[in-house]
Amino acid sequence: MSFNIVIDPRYPCDSVHQLFDREELFKKAQITSTLISDQFSVEKTVPGEVFLQQDSRHEFCSYLAYLGKYEKDKVSSVALAGLSESFGRLKDSMKPSASLPDSAAPGGPCIAGELRLFVNTDGDLYPCERVSETSEAMKIGNLRDGFDLSKVDRLINVAQDTAENCKNCWAFRHCMLCCAQSDNCGELSADLRSSQCSKVRAQVEEKFRDYLWMREFGVPYDIMN
């Protein structure tokens, strides 16, 4: 059993962490968490000060637990799962290979609809819950007719819109941009996708730093996932 938590950073998060630590239902479940997306909202979500303080504390405790400086059973399971998932993705993307493949895609796009298929009340199909339900570009079929494979293929290969930039980007394998970040009010926009590249590279650099100092402190490579 798995649970995906969408957290609103305008409010304190301690109660969310406590819920998943306290209830027996969640003890052996796989937990993933993410912040609410305001990409398609007129009103932007500004994280509250209390949320930032509590979230930073949970993240810091999870790092200490990996370093063996703090007991894991005293750390939020949500925070531990988030750190484990982050290191797992990084480790997978850093696996050595003898050569580059003849063709490849950046690391962001998933196979649209395979893992987190979202169905709205009209029976329309979308890749996941984080895309806009009002966007025709994100609609990949409906319950009556099934998947529109041409639209699935378009979303999987959204990086073709910025192919030359992607080919020359050092963060190619670590990219986190998918079709949602290219959605410009119902149309896929290369300019909108490109405008977020510097932010992605900064996030990847931060993950590298976290990974390296964890290694320097003696955390075994094999358990960082």
Side-chain angles (χ1 to χ4, degrees):
M1 184 181 297
S2 63
F3 295 89
N4 179 43
I5 315 164
V6 180
I7 299 174
D8 189 335
R10 293 174 296 180
Y11 307 102
C13 62
D14 271 355
S15 58
V16 176
H17 291 269
Q18 291 166 3
L19 171 66
F20 281 83
D21 288 335
R22 182 179 64 244
E23 297 296 330
E24 194 65 32
L25 174 65
F26 307 121
K27 294 297 184 181
K28 296 183 180 180
Q30 179 181 352
I31 300 172
T32 56
S33 63
T34 185
L35 298 183
I36 191 171
S37 173
D38 61 6
Q39 182 177 347
F40 307 104
S41 301
V42 175
E43 181 182 350
K44 296 304 179 182
T45 301
V46 179
E49 183 177 349
V50 175
F51 169 83
L52 293 174
Q53 292 173 350
Q54 293 179 352
D55 185 65
S56 296
R57 186 184 73 248
H58 288 297
E59 182 180 20
F60 181 63
C61 288
S62 64
Y63 275 106
L64 289 179
Y66 266 94
L67 292 170
K69 305 294 184 180
Y70 197 69
E71 296 179 35
K72 276 194 174 183
D73 58 3
K74 294 183 178 179
V75 181
S76 161
S77 57
V78 175
L80 280 174
L83 185 60
S84 177
E85 182 183 12
S86 177
F87 281 137
R89 287 197 303 266
L90 182 59
K91 179 182 175 182
D92 288 342
S93 64
M94 293 175 66
K95 289 180 179 177
S97 56
S99 61
L100 293 174
D102 293 332
S103 60
C110 66
I111 300 177
E114 180 188 34
L115 294 178
R116 293 162 63 176
L117 179 66
F118 182 80
V119 185
N120 70 5
T121 55
D122 296 322
D124 296 322
L125 308 179
Y126 298 87
C128 70
E129 78 288 350
R130 295 183 66 79
V131 302
S132 173
E133 297 172 54
T134 64
S135 173
E136 188 62 31
M138 297 295 108
K139 191 184 299 183
I140 56 175
N142 57 69
L143 292 178
R144 184 183 65 255
D145 302 317
F147 288 104
D148 183 335
L149 296 183
S150 63
K151 296 190 74 171
V152 172
D153 182 75
R154 177 72 178 92
L155 297 185
I156 292 175
N157 294 289
V158 67
Q160 289 181 341
D161 297 341
T162 53
E164 292 306 312
N165 288 339
C166 293
K167 289 176 184 177
N168 296 295
C169 180
W170 63 263
F172 183 90
R173 297 180 66 182
H174 307 280
C175 185
M176 295 166 277
L177 297 178
C178 68
C179 58
Q181 285 77 46
S182 295
D183 188 3
N184 187 21
C185 301
E187 296 180 343
L188 296 178
S189 167
D191 290 338
L192 181 59
R193 177 181 170 86
S194 296
S195 70
Q196 301 172 76
C197 292
S198 58
K199 179 181 178 181
V200 169
R201 285 191 286 267
Q203 291 174 335
V204 174
E205 284 186 26
E206 184 177 359
K207 286 187 177 181
F208 284 166
R209 286 195 294 269
D210 289 344
Y211 185 86
L212 289 173
W213 75 256
M214 289 283 279
R215 293 294 304 279
E216 288 177 2
F217 274 91
V219 178
Y221 182 83
D222 290 340
I223 73 169
M224 292 173 63
N225 59 48

